[in-house]
């Protein structure tokens, strides 16, 4: 994931085509939809609800006006866009004759998707004939279905909503014709007012009929109830039996007396209970309120205080057996007994008082019960009479009210008005409301950019390719020993692809040559305690450039004066032998199995001092070569003959021989191809090398595109100051272009040793490689 502006720009560069294609796809799709969509027009009428409408009839709010509340306004909005109202609008406006609403009148234009759909159906043997949607329907059913579809189309084009928090309702109609949009918006508003009028008139009619019937029934009911009252009075002689006032007054008086007695009883009981609680808690004389009010207790307390003072005085002056002290103490005990006796007397008095009050309350309640029984018996007939009178009076009042309302209904039916007025009529729009071309194109551009950026980020998240030395060290956990640039050049005739090892010979001061020198220096100084002579160069999979790199490394070592041997250990492809231009009859395999001498098998490189142990063209590939004793003896012999022995093995993940030989050499180098090798494959190869106990020198990043490298977060790609050391110019020749160094003074000079080349110089060049070499 990109974490800074530079990384973000690198991501954009790497995923440019993905972003561009995503952007163009979305943008062109939106543009196509925008420019092929039929323009539509909107027209709006505004209806105001009349919140000051006066009620004509107030009886149960039969015909009340609208009460301005949120629920009522929302209900009216739903009414205006209801199917019943819009059905009437469709009938009046004859929308069944308009092709915009009646799909059966439209001319079908086969689209590209329709043709594609028919081809797909025919490919799978499906029926491509058009089906009649009205098959099996009668004429009435067909017309009804068309009307329903017309109303449904109208409902989709009508939008009704409240304007903010006001009492205004907007009616907006969308149509392909500006005139139709304005006409239908006004028609919906008019039909809403008409429907309100019809609803009120219908309610008025039904209310008038109901009031008339109810008035007749109430008249008969009032007459019947008044006759019943008169008959009851006559039958019970109520004119002389209307007494009972004294009994009622007596009950009222007794009730008042009982209430007062209950108050006194509660007061006495409260005092008695308080005294008992204080005595039970062991409170002294000074802690009981009822005792403190007694004068006798007060006098006794004074005497007791005086005697106690005298006893204390005698105790200090006389002995405990002195008669005067004993007498004083006896007097003290006598006073305390008197106090306790007085307290008990007070408690008994309070208890007696409670009993007296309780008896008084019970007596009054008994008198009230007797008076109540007498009153109920005397007034039984009077209660029934009042009931009959109230019933008759209620019916009479209701009858008079209905007569009055019936007259008002008949007189005011002509004054009914709708509860809404059209505040502004819909006008014909001059410009289409949709599609909004500029906005749609802007949205398409934004969505395309978002989609492209999202896909680019996803591609970055799931990118498992190795792109830099940092990826090798952090994500693979091993040392990175240099990066080898990708070269692009042609042969002398200007055709084909020059071998990288040949390019090394012709361009010894190129960035490619410097990277190979650095790799040779890394091998030479890999182990300061012991000399590194045998190195296995391998890769995870084919086509990662290990063969070309091995041959170039061998030539560089040989040109530096070291005795170097390169062994072609890839028995299946024999690419190193072909790259060196050799066609031996006796090679590596033949020598190991006794078919020739070592001197016959080793061939001198025609372009350098390098020795090559190639593979013959016999095609014979034994099952085991590196695991034999003969190969071990060969390594021992070659170590005494050469300073450096490079073995080009097959891919680790495909050939077991490569794993065996890596474990028998001093060092092993894993070659990974820039932006080609997957990290999982590299990890698997490292695991195999570890399992075969190979001493891994490091991982080399091969075939790096230096022009694109800067966009893959490679720290070594930013040092542009080094590029002047490797500036390459081209001069036209007879058949093409010849590449040579821009530094004239270095031509023909002694090639620098690998150990003198810093690694940073080998990682930067102005060459523009684009094509991958063999292997």
């Amino acid at each position: 994931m990109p974490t800074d502006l530079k990384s973000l720009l690198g991501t954009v560069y790497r995923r440019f085509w993905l972003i561009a294609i995503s952007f163009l796809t979305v943008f062109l799709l939106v543009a196509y939809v925008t420019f092929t969509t039929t323009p539509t027009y909107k027209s709006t009428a505004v209806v105001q609800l009349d919140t000051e409408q006066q009620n004509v009839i107030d009886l149960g709010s039969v015909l009340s006006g609208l009460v301005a509340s949120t629920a009522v306004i929302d209900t009216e909005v739903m009414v205006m866009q209801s199917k019943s109202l819009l059905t009437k609008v469709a009938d009046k406006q004859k929308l069944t004759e308009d092709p915009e609403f009646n799909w059966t009148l439209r001319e079908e234009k086969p689209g590209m998707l329709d043709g594609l759909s028919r081809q797909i159906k025919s490919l799978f043997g499906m029926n491509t004939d058009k089906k009649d949607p009205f098959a099996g329907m009668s004429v009435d059913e067909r017309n009804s279905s068309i009307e329903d579809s017309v109303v449904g189309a109208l409902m989709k084009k009508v939008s009704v909503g409240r304007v903010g928090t006001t009492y205004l309702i907007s009616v907006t109609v969308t149509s392909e014709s500006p005139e139709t949009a304005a006409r239908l918006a006004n028609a919906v508003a008019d039909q809403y007012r008409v429907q309100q009028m019809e609803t009120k008139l219908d309610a008025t009619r039904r209310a008038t009929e109901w009031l008339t019937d109810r008035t007749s029934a109430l008249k008969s009911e009032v007459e019947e109830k008044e006759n019943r009252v008169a008959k009851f009075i006559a039958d019970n002689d109520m004119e002389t039996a209307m007494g009972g006032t004294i009994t009622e007054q007596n009950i009222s008086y007794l009730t008042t007396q009982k209430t007062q007695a209950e108050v006194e009883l509660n007061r006495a009981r409260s005092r008695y209970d308080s005294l008992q609680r204080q005595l039970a808690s062991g409170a002294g004389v000074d802690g009981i309120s009822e005792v403190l009010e007694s004068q006798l207790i007060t006098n006794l307390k004074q005497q007791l205080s005086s005697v106690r003072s005298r006893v204390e005085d005698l105790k200090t002056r006389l002995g405990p057996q002195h008669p005067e002290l004993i007498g004083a103490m006896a007097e003290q005990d006598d006073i305390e007994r008197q106090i306790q006796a007085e307290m008990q007397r007070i408690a008994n008095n309070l208890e007696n008082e409670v009993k007296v009050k309780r008896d008084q309350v019970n007596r009054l309640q008994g008198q009230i019960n007797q008076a109540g029984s007498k009153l109920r018996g005397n007034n039984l007939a009077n209660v029934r009479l009042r009931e009959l009178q109230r019933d008759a009076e209620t019916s009479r009042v209701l009858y008079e009210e209905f007569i009055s309302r019936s007259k008002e209904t008949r007189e005011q039916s002509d004054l009914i008005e709708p509860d809404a007025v059209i505040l502004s009529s819909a006008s014909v729009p001059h410009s289409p409301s949709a599609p909004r071309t500029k906005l749609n194109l802007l949205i398409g551009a934004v969505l395309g950019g978002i989609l492209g950026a999202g896909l680019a980020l996803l591609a970055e998240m799931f990118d498992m390719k190795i792109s830099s030395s940092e990826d090798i060290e952090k994500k693979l956990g091993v040392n990175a020993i240099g990066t080898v640039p990708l070269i692009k050049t042609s042969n002398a005739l200007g055709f084909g692809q020059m071998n990288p090892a040949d390019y090394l010979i012709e361009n010894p001061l190129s960035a490619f040559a410097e990277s190979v020198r650095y790799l040779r220096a890394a091998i030479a100084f890999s182990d300061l305690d012991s000399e590194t002579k045998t190195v296995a160069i391998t890769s995870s999979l084919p086509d990662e450039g290990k063969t070309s790199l091995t041959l170039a490394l061998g030539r560089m070592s040989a040109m530096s004066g070291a005795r170097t041997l390169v062994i072609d250990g890839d028995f299946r492809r024999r690419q190193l032998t072909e790259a060196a231009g050799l066609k031996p009859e006796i090679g590596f395999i033949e020598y190991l199995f006794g078919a020739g001498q070592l001197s016959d098998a080793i061939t001198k490189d025609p372009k350098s001092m390098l020795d090559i142990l190639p593979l013959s063209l016999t095609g014979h590939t034994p099952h085991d070569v590196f695991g034999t004793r003969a190969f071990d003896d060969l390594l021992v012999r070659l170590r005494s003959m050469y300073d450096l022995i490079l073995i080009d093995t097959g891919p680790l993940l495909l050939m077991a021989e490569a794993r065996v030989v890596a474990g028998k050499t001093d060092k092993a180098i894993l070659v990974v191809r820039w932006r080609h090798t997957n990290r999982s494959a590299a990890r698997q190869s490292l695991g195999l090398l570890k399992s075969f106990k190979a001493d891994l020198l490091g991982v080399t990043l091969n075939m790096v595109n230096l022009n694109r490298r800067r966009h893959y977060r490679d720290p070594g790609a930013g040092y542009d100051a080094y590029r002047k050391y490797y500036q390459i110019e081209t001069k036209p020749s007879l058949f093409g272009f010849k590449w040579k160094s821009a530094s004239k003074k270095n031509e023909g000079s002694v090639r620098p040793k690998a150990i003198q080349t810093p690694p940073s110089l080998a990682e930067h060049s102005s060459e523009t490689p684009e094509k991958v070499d063999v292997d």
Side-chain angles (χ1 to χ4, degrees), residues 106-353:
R106 301 174 194 163
E107 295 181 1
E108 294 188 5
K109 297 179 180 179
M112 179 177 61
L113 296 180
D114 294 337
L116 181 61
S117 176
R118 284 195 298 271
Q119 293 179 2
I120 294 175
K121 288 181 178 180
S122 61
L123 180 63
F124 288 96
M126 301 174 63
N127 187 11
T128 58
D129 296 335
K130 294 184 179 180
K131 296 181 179 180
D132 186 5
F134 305 110
M137 293 185 181
S138 63
V139 177
D140 294 337
E141 291 175 343
R142 181 180 185 277
N143 294 335
S144 177
S145 177
I146 294 176
E147 291 176 359
D148 289 341
S149 65
V150 169
V151 174
L154 179 61
M155 292 179 68
K156 294 179 181 179
K157 294 177 179 294
V158 174
S159 174
V160 182
R162 183 180 183 183
V163 181
T165 58
T166 64
Y167 300 136
L168 303 179
I169 299 177
S170 63
V171 182
T172 303
V173 176
T174 304
S175 175
E176 298 175 2
S177 169
E179 294 79 7
T180 302
R183 176 169 55 88
L184 292 180
N186 292 326
V188 172
D190 291 337
Q191 183 60 39
Y192 172 65
R193 298 182 74 251
V194 170
Q195 184 166 300
Q196 281 190 335
M197 287 288 295
E198 292 176 350
T199 302
K200 287 196 171 186
L201 290 174
D202 184 63
T204 302
R205 178 184 56 78
R206 287 185 284 106
T208 303
E209 295 177 354
W210 181 79
L211 286 172
T212 302
D213 296 340
R214 187 58 179 160
T215 301
S216 300
L218 287 175
K219 180 179 180 181
S220 301
E221 183 180 343
V222 169
E223 293 176 353
E224 180 184 356
K225 290 181 179 181
E226 289 181 347
N227 291 333
R228 190 183 305 168
V229 171
K231 185 177 182 299
F232 184 82
I233 292 174
D235 293 343
N236 292 277
D237 196 14
M238 299 297 293
E239 292 84 355
T240 58
M242 298 298 293
T245 304
I246 296 176
T247 304
E248 292 176 352
Q249 291 178 355
N250 188 26
I251 291 175
S252 176
Y253 174 75
L254 291 175
T255 302
T256 302
Q257 292 297 318
K258 177 190 173 185
T259 302
Q260 184 176 0
E262 287 176 344
V263 172
E264 294 176 356
L265 172 61
N266 292 334
R267 186 181 298 114
R269 184 183 291 114
S270 176
R271 294 172 58 197
Y272 175 72
D273 293 341
S274 176
L275 177 61
Q276 290 297 327
R277 286 194 301 272
Q278 292 172 349
L279 290 175
S281 64
V285 177
D286 296 334
I288 302 174
S289 58
E290 296 295 336
V291 173
L292 294 176
E293 296 177 359
S294 173
Q295 184 63 36
L296 179 58
I297 293 296
T298 302
N299 295 333
L300 290 175
K301 286 173 60 179
Q302 293 176 356
Q303 295 176 13
L304 179 61
S305 175
S306 176
V307 171
R308 285 177 176 173
S309 300
R310 187 156 57 88
V311 168
E312 295 297 328
D313 181 59
L314 291 175
K315 284 182 179 180
T316 59
R317 292 187 297 105
L318 304 176
Q321 303 298 328
H322 195 277
E324 186 177 355
L325 176 59
I326 293 173
M329 293 178 65
E331 183 180 359
Q332 177 180 341
D333 293 339
D334 182 60
I335 294 173
E336 290 177 349
R337 283 194 297 273
Q338 293 180 25
I339 291 175
Q340 293 295 328
E342 180 62 19
M343 290 173 61
Q344 186 62 40
R345 186 188 64 77
I346 293 173
N348 293 336
N349 290 340
L350 288 176
E351 184 179 3
N352 293 333
E353 182 180 357

Side-chain angles (χ1 to χ4, degrees), residues 610-626:
L610 175 68
D611 288 342
I612 300 175
L613 185 55
L615 293 172
S616 65
L617 302 179
T618 60
H620 174 67
T621 303
H623 295 290
D624 189 5
V625 175
F626 298 112

Side-chain angles (χ1 to χ4, degrees), residues 40 87 114 156 243 282 329 341 355 393 411 504 541 614 688 724 729 750:
T40 57
T87 300
D114 294 337
K156 294 179 181 179
M329 293 178 65
K355 292 180 180 180
E393 183 64 22
E411 292 175 357
L504 175 70
L541 296 169
L688 291 174
K724 58 188 178 182
E729 65 180 8
V750 180

Side-chain angles (χ1 to χ4, degrees), residues 491-549:
N491 55 24
L493 298 178
F495 302 101
Q497 175 71 27
M498 179 180 289
N499 189 296
D502 297 339
Y503 180 83
L504 175 70
I505 300 296
E506 297 184 8
N507 300 274
L509 297 181
S510 64
F512 177 78
E514 291 298 329
S515 65
V516 176
R517 286 193 187 95
Y518 171 70
L519 186 59
R520 178 182 174 277
I523 296 174
F525 293 94
S526 61
D527 194 342
L528 299 179
D529 297 331
S530 61
E531 186 178 7
T532 300
K533 284 196 171 185
T534 57
V535 179
I537 300 178
T538 185
S539 63
S540 301
L541 296 169
D543 300 327
E544 296 192 51
K546 63 173 178 56
T547 299
S548 300
L549 181 61

